[in-house]
Amino acid sequence: MDIDTGNSNSNSAELRIVVFGAGGRVGRAAVAEAVARGHRVTAVVRDPAAYRDLEGAGVTLVRGDATDAASVAAVAAGHDAAVNAAVRLDLPSEEYFTAAAKALVAGLTEAGVRRLLTLGIATTLETAPGVRIMDAPEFPAAWRAFAQGHVAEFALLTAEAGPLDWLMVVPPLDLNAEAERTGAYRTAVGTVIEGPGRIGHADLALALLDEIERPRHRRVQLAVSL
């Protein structure tokens, strides 16, 4: 397990980062953290008219669809890295997340974007070798079906991402919108992190931007928690 302190005062060169699902809580936090570090952000949403508050210095708001490879390629062209925080709850989980993974792989590769960070879900993490939270007999079936979408997404990325440098970042079960930023977090590869099992959106965004500026993990599930 790694213990990290944030790098919000990074001296990294200016990057161009495209954020899919920028209108959600994680997406907004990622946009804010990137701008605070001096990067340029393209905020991708399905309906820009509903998210005009995202526009500002360093942020370009555009319409896009994470499940459409042509759309991904168009909005991602010229960027250094991508964050995928998009989700749709009106579609079956496995259908949506595999469609997004396929489109992101194809679109980002076409656009020449080298790094993708996508959000996972804690229930897919292991509590013991080969045993995931979602495997518990008492785990609700509806939740298991949703978690299976991320399992399928991870499998597809593992098998089909080609040269794309990707990482699935997985927050704990308690992803707290009201939590204050601490400036620190812990990480583990593929397993639940012992401890409080929570993190705020600001600290999760810290981990995302650290992995964009200084990639340390690739092609794994990276659990992030306080």
Short mmCIF file of all heavy atoms in Angstrom, two decimals, residues 83-131:
data_model
loop_
_atom_site.label_atom_id
_atom_site.label_comp_id
_atom_site.label_asym_id
_atom_site.label_seq_id
_atom_site.Cartn_x
_atom_site.Cartn_y
_atom_site.Cartn_z
N VAL A 83 -9.91 11.91 -18.70
CA VAL A 83 -10.55 11.37 -17.50
C VAL A 83 -11.97 10.99 -17.88
O VAL A 83 -12.69 11.80 -18.49
CB VAL A 83 -10.57 12.38 -16.34
CG1 VAL A 83 -11.38 11.84 -15.16
CG2 VAL A 83 -9.16 12.74 -15.91
N ASN A 84 -12.38 9.77 -17.55
CA ASN A 84 -13.75 9.36 -17.82
C ASN A 84 -14.50 9.20 -16.51
O ASN A 84 -14.30 8.23 -15.78
CB ASN A 84 -13.80 8.05 -18.60
CG ASN A 84 -15.25 7.60 -18.83
OD1 ASN A 84 -16.14 8.43 -18.98
ND2 ASN A 84 -15.48 6.30 -18.82
N ALA A 85 -15.37 10.18 -16.21
CA ALA A 85 -16.22 10.11 -15.03
C ALA A 85 -17.69 10.04 -15.44
O ALA A 85 -18.58 10.31 -14.65
CB ALA A 85 -15.98 11.34 -14.15
N ALA A 86 -17.93 9.67 -16.70
CA ALA A 86 -19.30 9.63 -17.22
C ALA A 86 -20.01 8.36 -16.78
O ALA A 86 -19.40 7.30 -16.65
CB ALA A 86 -19.28 9.72 -18.75
N VAL A 87 -21.31 8.48 -16.57
CA VAL A 87 -22.14 7.33 -16.24
C VAL A 87 -23.56 7.61 -16.71
O VAL A 87 -23.99 8.77 -16.75
CB VAL A 87 -22.12 7.06 -14.71
CG1 VAL A 87 -22.71 8.22 -13.94
CG2 VAL A 87 -22.84 5.76 -14.37
N ARG A 88 -24.27 6.56 -17.09
CA ARG A 88 -25.69 6.67 -17.40
C ARG A 88 -26.43 5.58 -16.63
O ARG A 88 -26.08 4.40 -16.72
CB ARG A 88 -25.93 6.53 -18.90
CG ARG A 88 -25.50 7.76 -19.69
CD ARG A 88 -25.93 7.67 -21.13
NE ARG A 88 -27.39 7.59 -21.28
CZ ARG A 88 -28.01 7.62 -22.46
NH1 ARG A 88 -27.31 7.73 -23.58
NH2 ARG A 88 -29.33 7.52 -22.52
N LEU A 89 -27.43 6.00 -15.89
CA LEU A 89 -28.20 5.06 -15.07
C LEU A 89 -29.48 4.61 -15.76
O LEU A 89 -30.20 3.77 -15.23
CB LEU A 89 -28.53 5.71 -13.73
CG LEU A 89 -27.32 6.15 -12.90
CD1 LEU A 89 -27.78 6.80 -11.59
CD2 LEU A 89 -26.38 4.99 -12.63
N ASP A 90 -29.71 5.16 -16.97
CA ASP A 90 -30.91 4.77 -17.71
C ASP A 90 -30.64 3.62 -18.67
O ASP A 90 -31.53 3.20 -19.41
CB ASP A 90 -31.48 5.96 -18.47
CG ASP A 90 -30.48 6.55 -19.46
OD1 ASP A 90 -29.25 6.45 -19.21
OD2 ASP A 90 -30.92 7.13 -20.48
N LEU A 91 -29.42 3.12 -18.68
CA LEU A 91 -29.04 1.99 -19.53
C LEU A 91 -28.50 0.86 -18.66
O LEU A 91 -27.96 1.11 -17.58
CB LEU A 91 -27.96 2.41 -20.53
CG LEU A 91 -28.33 3.47 -21.57
CD1 LEU A 91 -27.10 3.86 -22.38
CD2 LEU A 91 -29.43 2.96 -22.48
N PRO A 92 -28.61 -0.39 -19.10
CA PRO A 92 -28.00 -1.49 -18.35
C PRO A 92 -26.51 -1.23 -18.15
O PRO A 92 -25.82 -0.79 -19.08
CB PRO A 92 -28.26 -2.71 -19.24
CG PRO A 92 -29.47 -2.34 -20.04
CD PRO A 92 -29.35 -0.87 -20.29
N SER A 93 -26.03 -1.50 -16.96
CA SER A 93 -24.66 -1.15 -16.59
C SER A 93 -23.62 -1.75 -17.53
O SER A 93 -22.72 -1.05 -18.01
CB SER A 93 -24.38 -1.61 -15.15
OG SER A 93 -23.05 -1.36 -14.78
N GLU A 94 -23.72 -3.05 -17.79
CA GLU A 94 -22.71 -3.70 -18.62
C GLU A 94 -22.75 -3.14 -20.04
O GLU A 94 -21.70 -2.91 -20.66
CB GLU A 94 -22.92 -5.21 -18.62
CG GLU A 94 -21.77 -5.96 -19.28
CD GLU A 94 -21.77 -7.44 -18.96
OE1 GLU A 94 -22.50 -7.87 -18.03
OE2 GLU A 94 -21.04 -8.19 -19.63
N GLU A 95 -23.94 -2.90 -20.56
CA GLU A 95 -24.07 -2.32 -21.90
C GLU A 95 -23.39 -0.96 -21.96
O GLU A 95 -22.63 -0.67 -22.90
CB GLU A 95 -25.55 -2.18 -22.25
CG GLU A 95 -25.82 -1.47 -23.57
CD GLU A 95 -27.30 -1.23 -23.80
OE1 GLU A 95 -28.12 -2.05 -23.35
OE2 GLU A 95 -27.63 -0.20 -24.42
N TYR A 96 -23.67 -0.11 -20.98
CA TYR A 96 -23.12 1.24 -21.01
C TYR A 96 -21.60 1.25 -20.86
O TYR A 96 -20.88 1.88 -21.65
CB TYR A 96 -23.74 2.13 -19.92
CG TYR A 96 -23.04 3.47 -19.87
CD1 TYR A 96 -23.32 4.43 -20.84
CD2 TYR A 96 -22.07 3.75 -18.92
CE1 TYR A 96 -22.65 5.64 -20.85
CE2 TYR A 96 -21.40 4.95 -18.92
CZ TYR A 96 -21.69 5.89 -19.89
OH TYR A 96 -21.00 7.08 -19.91
N PHE A 97 -21.08 0.58 -19.83
CA PHE A 97 -19.65 0.69 -19.54
C PHE A 97 -18.78 0.01 -20.60
O PHE A 97 -17.67 0.46 -20.86
CB PHE A 97 -19.35 0.17 -18.13
CG PHE A 97 -19.79 1.11 -17.06
CD1 PHE A 97 -20.83 0.79 -16.21
CD2 PHE A 97 -19.17 2.34 -16.89
CE1 PHE A 97 -21.25 1.66 -15.22
CE2 PHE A 97 -19.58 3.23 -15.91
CZ PHE A 97 -20.62 2.89 -15.07
N THR A 98 -19.27 -1.06 -21.20
CA THR A 98 -18.48 -1.66 -22.28
C THR A 98 -18.53 -0.80 -23.53
O THR A 98 -17.53 -0.66 -24.24
CB THR A 98 -18.96 -3.09 -22.60
OG1 THR A 98 -20.36 -3.08 -22.89
CG2 THR A 98 -18.68 -4.02 -21.44
N ALA A 99 -19.68 -0.19 -23.80
CA ALA A 99 -19.77 0.71 -24.95
C ALA A 99 -18.83 1.89 -24.78
O ALA A 99 -18.14 2.31 -25.72
CB ALA A 99 -21.21 1.19 -25.13
N ALA A 100 -18.79 2.44 -23.57
CA ALA A 100 -17.90 3.57 -23.31
C ALA A 100 -16.44 3.15 -23.43
O ALA A 100 -15.63 3.88 -24.02
CB ALA A 100 -18.18 4.14 -21.92
N ALA A 101 -16.10 1.99 -22.89
CA ALA A 101 -14.71 1.53 -22.97
C ALA A 101 -14.27 1.35 -24.42
O ALA A 101 -13.17 1.78 -24.81
CB ALA A 101 -14.54 0.23 -22.19
N LYS A 102 -15.11 0.73 -25.23
CA LYS A 102 -14.78 0.53 -26.64
C LYS A 102 -14.61 1.87 -27.36
O LYS A 102 -13.66 2.07 -28.12
CB LYS A 102 -15.87 -0.29 -27.33
CG LYS A 102 -15.91 -1.75 -26.90
CD LYS A 102 -17.07 -2.48 -27.58
CE LYS A 102 -17.13 -3.93 -27.14
NZ LYS A 102 -18.27 -4.65 -27.76
N ALA A 103 -15.54 2.80 -27.11
CA ALA A 103 -15.48 4.10 -27.79
C ALA A 103 -14.27 4.90 -27.33
O ALA A 103 -13.62 5.58 -28.15
CB ALA A 103 -16.76 4.87 -27.52
N LEU A 104 -13.96 4.84 -26.06
CA LEU A 104 -12.81 5.59 -25.55
C LEU A 104 -11.50 5.04 -26.10
O LEU A 104 -10.61 5.79 -26.50
CB LEU A 104 -12.81 5.57 -24.02
CG LEU A 104 -13.87 6.46 -23.36
CD1 LEU A 104 -14.07 6.06 -21.91
CD2 LEU A 104 -13.49 7.92 -23.47
N VAL A 105 -11.38 3.72 -26.14
CA VAL A 105 -10.17 3.12 -26.70
C VAL A 105 -10.00 3.54 -28.16
O VAL A 105 -8.94 4.01 -28.58
CB VAL A 105 -10.20 1.59 -26.58
CG1 VAL A 105 -9.10 0.95 -27.43
CG2 VAL A 105 -10.03 1.18 -25.12
N ALA A 106 -11.06 3.40 -28.94
CA ALA A 106 -10.97 3.72 -30.36
C ALA A 106 -10.79 5.21 -30.59
O ALA A 106 -9.92 5.64 -31.37
CB ALA A 106 -12.23 3.24 -31.08
N GLY A 107 -11.59 6.02 -29.89
CA GLY A 107 -11.54 7.46 -30.11
C GLY A 107 -10.26 8.11 -29.62
O GLY A 107 -9.68 8.95 -30.31
N LEU A 108 -9.81 7.73 -28.44
CA LEU A 108 -8.57 8.31 -27.90
C LEU A 108 -7.36 7.87 -28.72
O LEU A 108 -6.44 8.66 -28.95
CB LEU A 108 -8.40 7.92 -26.44
CG LEU A 108 -9.44 8.49 -25.46
CD1 LEU A 108 -9.19 7.96 -24.06
CD2 LEU A 108 -9.42 10.01 -25.46
N THR A 109 -7.37 6.62 -29.17
CA THR A 109 -6.27 6.15 -30.02
C THR A 109 -6.22 6.93 -31.32
O THR A 109 -5.15 7.37 -31.76
CB THR A 109 -6.42 4.65 -30.29
OG1 THR A 109 -6.40 3.93 -29.05
CG2 THR A 109 -5.28 4.14 -31.17
N GLU A 110 -7.38 7.14 -31.93
CA GLU A 110 -7.44 7.91 -33.16
C GLU A 110 -6.96 9.35 -32.93
O GLU A 110 -6.27 9.94 -33.78
CB GLU A 110 -8.86 7.94 -33.71
CG GLU A 110 -9.02 8.73 -35.00
CD GLU A 110 -10.43 8.75 -35.53
OE1 GLU A 110 -11.23 7.88 -35.13
OE2 GLU A 110 -10.74 9.63 -36.35
N ALA A 111 -7.31 9.92 -31.78
CA ALA A 111 -6.95 11.30 -31.48
C ALA A 111 -5.50 11.45 -31.02
O ALA A 111 -5.02 12.57 -30.88
CB ALA A 111 -7.89 11.85 -30.41
N GLY A 112 -4.83 10.34 -30.73
CA GLY A 112 -3.44 10.40 -30.29
C GLY A 112 -3.28 10.73 -28.82
O GLY A 112 -2.20 11.17 -28.38
N VAL A 113 -4.34 10.53 -28.02
CA VAL A 113 -4.27 10.77 -26.57
C VAL A 113 -3.64 9.55 -25.93
O VAL A 113 -4.08 8.42 -26.14
CB VAL A 113 -5.67 11.03 -25.98
CG1 VAL A 113 -5.59 11.22 -24.48
CG2 VAL A 113 -6.30 12.24 -26.65
N ARG A 114 -2.63 9.75 -25.11
CA ARG A 114 -1.85 8.62 -24.63
C ARG A 114 -2.29 8.05 -23.28
O ARG A 114 -1.93 6.92 -22.93
CB ARG A 114 -0.37 9.02 -24.53
CG ARG A 114 -0.09 10.15 -23.55
CD ARG A 114 1.41 10.48 -23.49
NE ARG A 114 1.71 11.50 -22.52
CZ ARG A 114 1.75 12.80 -22.78
NH1 ARG A 114 1.50 13.21 -24.00
NH2 ARG A 114 2.04 13.67 -21.83
N ARG A 115 -3.05 8.82 -22.48
CA ARG A 115 -3.34 8.39 -21.11
C ARG A 115 -4.83 8.53 -20.83
O ARG A 115 -5.44 9.57 -21.09
CB ARG A 115 -2.54 9.26 -20.14
CG ARG A 115 -2.74 8.99 -18.64
CD ARG A 115 -2.00 7.78 -18.17
NE ARG A 115 -1.86 7.74 -16.71
CZ ARG A 115 -1.62 6.64 -16.02
NH1 ARG A 115 -1.48 5.48 -16.64
NH2 ARG A 115 -1.50 6.68 -14.71
N LEU A 116 -5.44 7.47 -20.27
CA LEU A 116 -6.84 7.47 -19.86
C LEU A 116 -6.96 7.03 -18.42
O LEU A 116 -6.45 5.98 -18.03
CB LEU A 116 -7.66 6.51 -20.74
CG LEU A 116 -9.08 6.18 -20.22
CD1 LEU A 116 -9.97 7.41 -20.22
CD2 LEU A 116 -9.70 5.05 -21.04
N LEU A 117 -7.66 7.84 -17.62
CA LEU A 117 -8.05 7.44 -16.27
C LEU A 117 -9.56 7.32 -16.24
O LEU A 117 -10.28 8.27 -16.59
CB LEU A 117 -7.59 8.47 -15.24
CG LEU A 117 -6.18 8.27 -14.67
CD1 LEU A 117 -5.14 8.39 -15.77
CD2 LEU A 117 -5.90 9.26 -13.56
N THR A 118 -10.07 6.14 -15.87
CA THR A 118 -11.50 5.92 -15.81
C THR A 118 -11.89 5.53 -14.40
O THR A 118 -11.09 4.92 -13.67
CB THR A 118 -11.93 4.85 -16.83
OG1 THR A 118 -13.36 4.81 -16.90
CG2 THR A 118 -11.40 3.48 -16.48
N LEU A 119 -13.09 5.87 -13.99
CA LEU A 119 -13.54 5.63 -12.62
C LEU A 119 -14.15 4.23 -12.49
O LEU A 119 -14.97 3.83 -13.31
CB LEU A 119 -14.58 6.67 -12.20
CG LEU A 119 -14.06 7.94 -11.54
CD1 LEU A 119 -13.50 7.63 -10.15
CD2 LEU A 119 -13.01 8.63 -12.38
N GLY A 120 -13.75 3.53 -11.44
CA GLY A 120 -14.33 2.24 -11.13
C GLY A 120 -15.24 2.32 -9.92
O GLY A 120 -15.62 3.41 -9.48
N ILE A 121 -15.58 1.17 -9.35
CA ILE A 121 -16.49 1.13 -8.20
C ILE A 121 -15.92 0.16 -7.16
O ILE A 121 -15.39 -0.90 -7.50
CB ILE A 121 -17.91 0.71 -8.65
CG1 ILE A 121 -18.91 0.89 -7.52
CG2 ILE A 121 -17.93 -0.69 -9.20
CD1 ILE A 121 -20.35 0.73 -7.97
N ALA A 122 -16.05 0.53 -5.89
CA ALA A 122 -15.39 -0.19 -4.81
C ALA A 122 -15.83 -1.65 -4.67
O ALA A 122 -15.06 -2.50 -4.22
CB ALA A 122 -15.61 0.54 -3.48
N THR A 123 -17.06 -1.94 -5.06
CA THR A 123 -17.57 -3.29 -4.87
C THR A 123 -16.85 -4.33 -5.74
O THR A 123 -17.00 -5.53 -5.52
CB THR A 123 -19.07 -3.34 -5.17
OG1 THR A 123 -19.32 -2.72 -6.44
CG2 THR A 123 -19.85 -2.60 -4.09
N THR A 124 -16.05 -3.88 -6.70
CA THR A 124 -15.28 -4.81 -7.54
C THR A 124 -13.91 -5.11 -6.95
O THR A 124 -13.17 -5.94 -7.48
CB THR A 124 -15.09 -4.24 -8.95
OG1 THR A 124 -14.31 -3.04 -8.89
CG2 THR A 124 -16.43 -3.94 -9.59
N LEU A 125 -13.54 -4.46 -5.85
CA LEU A 125 -12.24 -4.68 -5.23
C LEU A 125 -12.23 -5.96 -4.41
O LEU A 125 -13.25 -6.40 -3.88
CB LEU A 125 -11.87 -3.50 -4.32
CG LEU A 125 -11.66 -2.16 -5.02
CD1 LEU A 125 -11.51 -1.06 -3.98
CD2 LEU A 125 -10.46 -2.20 -5.95
N GLU A 126 -11.06 -6.56 -4.27
CA GLU A 126 -10.91 -7.81 -3.52
C GLU A 126 -10.76 -7.54 -2.02
O GLU A 126 -10.06 -6.61 -1.61
CB GLU A 126 -9.70 -8.59 -4.01
CG GLU A 126 -9.86 -9.16 -5.41
CD GLU A 126 -8.71 -10.08 -5.80
OE1 GLU A 126 -7.67 -10.04 -5.13
OE2 GLU A 126 -8.87 -10.83 -6.79
N THR A 127 -11.42 -8.37 -1.22
CA THR A 127 -11.23 -8.36 0.23
C THR A 127 -10.26 -9.46 0.66
O THR A 127 -9.73 -9.43 1.78
CB THR A 127 -12.57 -8.57 0.95
OG1 THR A 127 -13.17 -9.80 0.48
CG2 THR A 127 -13.52 -7.41 0.65
N ALA A 128 -10.06 -10.43 -0.20
CA ALA A 128 -9.10 -11.52 -0.04
C ALA A 128 -8.77 -11.99 -1.46
O ALA A 128 -9.51 -11.67 -2.39
CB ALA A 128 -9.69 -12.65 0.79
N PRO A 129 -7.67 -12.72 -1.63
CA PRO A 129 -7.32 -13.14 -2.98
C PRO A 129 -8.47 -13.86 -3.69
O PRO A 129 -8.99 -14.87 -3.22
CB PRO A 129 -6.13 -14.08 -2.75
CG PRO A 129 -5.49 -13.55 -1.51
CD PRO A 129 -6.64 -13.11 -0.64
N GLY A 130 -8.91 -13.29 -4.82
CA GLY A 130 -9.98 -13.89 -5.61
C GLY A 130 -11.38 -13.66 -5.09
O GLY A 130 -12.34 -14.17 -5.67
N VAL A 131 -11.54 -12.88 -4.02
CA VAL A 131 -12.85 -12.64 -3.42
C VAL A 131 -13.12 -11.14 -3.41
O VAL A 131 -12.42 -10.37 -2.76
CB VAL A 131 -12.93 -13.18 -1.98
CG1 VAL A 131 -14.33 -12.92 -1.40
CG2 VAL A 131 -12.61 -14.66 -1.94
#
